[in-house]
Amino acid sequence: MVRRQSLHGQWSSRLAFVLAATGAAVGLGNIWRFPYVAGEHGGGAFVIIYLACVFAIGLPLFMAEAMLGRRGRRNPINAMQLLSQEEAGHSGWQVAGWIGVATGILILSYYSVVAGLTFSYAIDIAAGSLNHARPMDITAHYRELMNSPFELLFWHTLFLAFAVFVVARGVEQGLERVVKFVMPVLFLMLVVVVVYAGAKFAFGQAVQYLFDADFSRVDGDTLLTALGQAFFSLSLGMGAIMAYGAYLPDDASIPGTSFAIVLVDTVVALLAGLAIFSVALGSGLDPATGPGLMFHALPLTFADMPGGVFFGTLFFLLLILAAWSSSIGLIEPAVARMVERHGFSRRNAALAIGALAWLLGVLTLLSFNAFSGVRFLAGSLFENLDYLAANILLPLGGLLVALFAGWAMSKASSVDEFEIGTGLRYTLWRSFTRFVVPLGVAGIFCRALGWLP
Ligand code: TRP
């Protein structure tokens, strides 16, 4: 194994990597994004395709990113540059790192706006203003918030400041402790919400909605969105896992760790889907409501729950922390690059990246109100940014990573870095990375462009 050192230190253990990567993976993508995109695409078939993408494409790529990150022990751009040089004799593959860093900033910009909404809901629920609210009141509340650009700006700024502050101080500090506490409690709360919402609303219908697949209505866009959701939820295709892999101890086993993280992330998304669709289908809320789905269904769940103010506030606070640990993964690759390559201090790098994401985020929050008339391609400005990042840039980044790890990198190097021998596990990884991932991603791109029947 090539033993390099990272400039930013190393995780204290394999567990620290698991926690940080789980923190990056589990976030708004699972609880906010998964249910609403599934709802917009009719549930059932979408969910099955998403699961197939997670395990056939996401898992091998997760392993590949962690492996490349550890081998390079640098930010994603420099890691890809160095490994490309070593393996291919030129540095062309660094383009995957560049796409990743840009995509991270793009996602961070609107992620922070939505996390800001979560913040605002936590406060409103704590103040009791959504207690015993009827669906009508909740809709009115959401509309009012969406139509208050300054309020959105306030929460967006607050959330981003909070994330930047932590990255500025160094990634390891605090993250471990927070994730260790937040993830299990969030998981438990989610189970409670599923049980309560399932019993009070429509559990049976939610199960049917999520798993009863009608493939006849699947089109290229459904496939692409399911693929994009798998990438988004697992934090793949933009170097985040590579950046975290760079701090992974030499002796940590990558396959087992990756599988555990991918599994947890997926179970959390499915639980969120069960909870939110139980409420939606049981209360006449349209599953295709769009990005506001979670902000309607969750307050409705807590409105009449015994102890609803307490549980509702707790749930939204946990969600903010989960979003926070994800946003750190979105900032880290860019910051690591600026520190390693351009000699910035961590603080200045984090501030610069934060400022850029803040400005872009303003476009997203204005697209809910002042710019709501601006519509093209995928819809509003926000929808276009999200479509570009999740459905195009992440899969493209992932495709490049798979081509590099599977084809450009010598077998000897990946065998050496994985340290799992050349048995079944390695062979499976290598065949999926060489064939299933590139053909899957390219095939779905072609279907979405109408180049394939
Ligand atoms: N996976 C995160 C979520 O589900 C969002 C995300 C996408 C992310 N790409 C990332 C987080 C990269 C950290 C790093 O909420």
Side-chain angles (χ1 to χ4, degrees):
M1 183 181 293
V2 182
R3 294 197 190 270
R4 297 190 176 101
Q5 290 281 324
S6 159
L7 260 182
H8 311 272
Q10 213 176 80
W11 304 114
S12 51
S13 64
R14 187 184 101 142
L15 180 67
F17 168 79
V18 172
L19 288 169
T22 309
V26 176
L28 295 169
N30 308 63
I31 296 168
W32 161 72
R33 200 174 188 278
F34 170 71
Y36 99 74
V37 292
E40 283 181 339
H41 288 85
F46 175 92
V47 177
I48 309 292
I49 298 165
Y50 158 74
L51 291 175
C53 290
V54 164
F55 290 100
I57 296 177
L59 181 59
L61 261 181
F62 198 104
M63 292 171 55
E65 277 203 28
M67 180 270 286
L68 294 177
R70 182 167 72 185
R71 196 164 183 81
R73 289 239 184 267
R74 279 159 177 73
N75 72 74
I77 297 176
N78 291 38
M80 287 304 289
Q81 211 167 19
L82 173 79
L83 297 176
S84 179
Q85 207 47 266
E86 284 181 0
E87 301 288 338
H90 60 78
S91 57
W93 292 97
Q94 66 171 297
V95 64
W98 283 102
I99 296 179
V101 166
T103 313
I105 297 172
L106 202 62
I107 295 179
L108 177 66
S109 76
Y110 64 84
Y111 202 83
S112 163
V113 174
V114 180
L117 284 179
T118 313
F119 232 133
S120 147
Y121 271 79
I123 304 290
D124 290 333
I125 293 180
S129 50
L130 289 168
N131 206 14
H132 301 301
R134 307 273 51 91
M136 255 171 44
D137 310 324
I138 290 172
T139 308
H141 182 90
Y142 182 73
R143 287 236 175 88
E144 197 184 303
L145 182 58
M146 289 313 229
N147 283 319
S148 321
F150 287 105
E151 202 175 330
L152 295 175
L153 185 66
F154 173 78
W155 297 112
H156 164 55
T157 310
L158 188 67
F159 180 83
L160 203 53
F162 179 43
V164 162
F165 174 74
V166 173
V167 175
R169 292 186 47 203
V171 149
E172 310 79 29
Q173 297 172 3
L175 186 64
E176 240 177 286
R177 256 167 293 150
V178 173
V179 174
K180 216 184 258 179
F181 161 78
V182 167
M183 290 303 152
V185 186
L186 181 65
F187 196 84
L188 270 183
M189 276 294 300
L190 209 49
V191 172
V192 170
V193 173
V194 170
V195 171
Y196 176 80
K200 183 155 184 269
F201 296 92
F203 187 71
Q205 271 176 275
V207 173
Q208 197 182 6
Y209 186 79
L210 281 176
F211 299 109
D212 191 3
D214 171 9
F215 288 97
S216 65
R217 288 192 313 155
V218 169
D219 58 9
D221 193 55
T222 309
L223 289 171
L224 187 59
T225 310
L227 177 72
Q229 175 59 26
F231 272 90
F232 188 95
S233 192
L234 297 171
S235 309
L236 289 174
M238 53 145 288
I241 300 306
M242 219 184 273
Y244 282 179
Y247 315 141
L248 189 63
D250 287 321
D251 54 358
S253 149
I254 289 176
T257 312
S258 303
F259 183 73
I261 298 168
V262 168
L263 191 65
V264 167
D265 185 73
T266 308
V267 170
V268 171
L270 293 177
L271 285 175
L274 282 173
I276 284 177
F277 288 117
S278 293
V279 183
L281 297 168
S283 68
L285 181 65
D286 183 3
T289 295
L293 184 63
M294 176 187 97
F295 296 105
H296 286 81
L298 286 180
L300 204 55
T301 313
F302 296 114
D304 296 311
M305 189 192 240
V309 170
F310 173 76
F311 286 118
T313 310
L314 178 64
F315 191 86
F316 274 88
L317 285 178
L318 291 165
L319 204 50
I320 297 169
L321 291 171
W324 166 77
S325 62
S326 294
S327 63
I328 290 179
L330 289 165
I331 310 177
E332 178 62 20
V335 169
R337 160 78 183 185
M338 288 173 73
V339 172
E340 288 168 23
R341 176 63 201 275
H342 305 290
F344 276 79
S345 66
R346 274 196 85 84
R347 201 192 65 170
N348 290 346
L351 279 176
I353 299 300
L356 191 59
W358 184 84
L359 264 180
L360 265 174
V362 172
L363 282 182
T364 286
L365 66 87
L366 289 176
S367 80
F368 298 137
N369 37 69
F371 297 166
S372 62
V374 183
R375 302 187 73 81
F376 52 103
L377 299 172
S380 66
L381 261 167
F382 156 70
E383 284 165 306
N384 276 291
L385 286 179
D386 181 55
Y387 196 94
L388 175 66
N391 295 0
I392 299 172
L393 295 174
L394 293 182
L396 187 63
L399 178 64
L400 293 174
V401 167
L403 290 176
F404 178 74
W407 295 94
M409 191 172 193
S410 73
K411 186 172 174 186
S413 302
S414 58
V415 169
D416 173 54
E417 191 62 41
F418 273 125
E419 288 193 316
I420 51 170
T422 50
L424 181 65
R425 274 190 307 170
Y426 177 79
T427 310
L428 274 176
W429 171 79
R430 188 161 154 92
S431 352
F432 271 72
T433 305
R434 284 162 77 89
F435 302 105
V436 179
V437 177
L439 291 175
V441 173
I444 291 177
F445 273 153
C446 290
R447 263 298 291 273
L449 286 166
W451 296 349
L452 277 179

